[in-house]
């Protein structure tokens, strides 16, 4: 159904895989799902990279079928400032750069966070309460 919708629109749809390993859902089934979506020409996003069960090992096991990593600030809250989670953010940023993946950052809640992201990182998409909805990084600069 999603493939059919994608075939009839110019908007890129992302299939977002989340960290829901549970009874009956194995890591292998997630890898197969990512591959199946990718083979159908759908963009695949891994949500909340680096937290919960979305470890680097898990993400890398499906890396060939993944188009975007999504890094969630809210999964690290409370924190004093972005610098306290910078090692995790840097890891996913550099992995995305190395493997030619898009990188979305979600959970941006303050202008200070947005400014720090804009000054240090070259991301594709940011989203959060500050922005009201997901926007391209270039649009975030214009609207704030």
């Amino acid at each position: 159904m999603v493939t059919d919708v994608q075939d009839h629109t110019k908007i890129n749809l992302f299939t977002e895989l989340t960290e829901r390993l549970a009874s009956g859902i194995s890591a292998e089934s997630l890898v197969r799902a990512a591959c199946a979506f990718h083979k159908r020409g759908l963009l695949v996003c891994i949500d909340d990279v680096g937290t919960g069960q979305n470890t680097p090992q898990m993400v890398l096991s499906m890396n060939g079928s993944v188009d975007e990593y999504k890094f969630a600030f809210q999964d690290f809250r409370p924190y004093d400032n972005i610098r306290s989670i910078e090692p995790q953010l840097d890891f996913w940023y550099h992995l995305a750069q190395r493997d030619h993946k898009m990188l979305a950052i979600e959970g941006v809640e303050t202008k200070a966070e947005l400014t720090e992201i804009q000054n240090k990182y070259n991301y594709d998409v940011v989203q959060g309460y500050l922005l009201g909805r997901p926007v391209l990084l270039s649009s975030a600069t214009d609207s704030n």
Side-chain angles (χ1 to χ4, degrees):
M1 183 171 159
V2 176
T3 303
D4 188 49
V5 171
Q6 182 64 78
D7 288 345
H8 291 92
T9 183
K10 292 181 181 181
I11 298 169
N12 287 324
L13 302 177
F14 283 79
T15 301
E16 188 170 294
L17 300 177
T18 60
E19 56 160 314
R20 298 283 191 259
L21 291 183
S23 178
I25 301 174
S26 66
E28 294 79 23
S29 66
L30 288 176
V31 172
R32 284 192 307 273
C35 184
F37 289 124
H38 184 74
K39 283 182 180 177
R40 290 183 175 169
L42 298 172
L43 297 169
V44 177
C45 172
I46 302 297
D47 192 27
D48 298 342
V49 293
T51 61
Q53 296 166 336
N54 286 343
T55 63
Q57 179 182 359
M58 171 63 123
V59 173
L60 290 173
S61 71
M62 61 181 86
N63 210 29
S65 301
V66 171
D67 301 284
E68 179 181 60
Y69 306 139
K70 187 179 279 188
F71 185 88
F73 278 9
Q74 68 270 15
D75 290 348
F76 295 92
R77 292 193 196 281
Y79 57 81
D80 293 328
N81 57 52
I82 291 176
R83 284 181 220 101
S84 65
I85 61 169
E86 201 166 82
Q88 294 90 339
L89 183 54
D90 283 349
F91 174 84
W92 291 102
Y93 173 76
H94 292 297
L95 190 63
Q97 296 294 306
R98 183 193 82 182
D99 293 347
H100 308 287
K101 308 294 183 191
M102 291 177 272
L103 184 57
I105 296 179
E106 63 181 343
V108 177
E109 295 183 0
T110 68
K111 285 192 177 207
E113 289 176 343
L114 181 60
T115 298
E116 190 149 349
I117 291 167
Q118 291 171 324
N119 289 338
K120 184 161 184 185
Y121 301 99
N122 182 23
Y123 288 106
D124 299 290
V125 175
V126 291
Q127 66 188 66
Y129 289 116
L130 174 67
L131 304 165
R133 60 181 171 82
V135 296
L136 294 175
L137 185 56
S138 58
S139 298
T141 304
D142 297 338
S143 67
N144 289 306

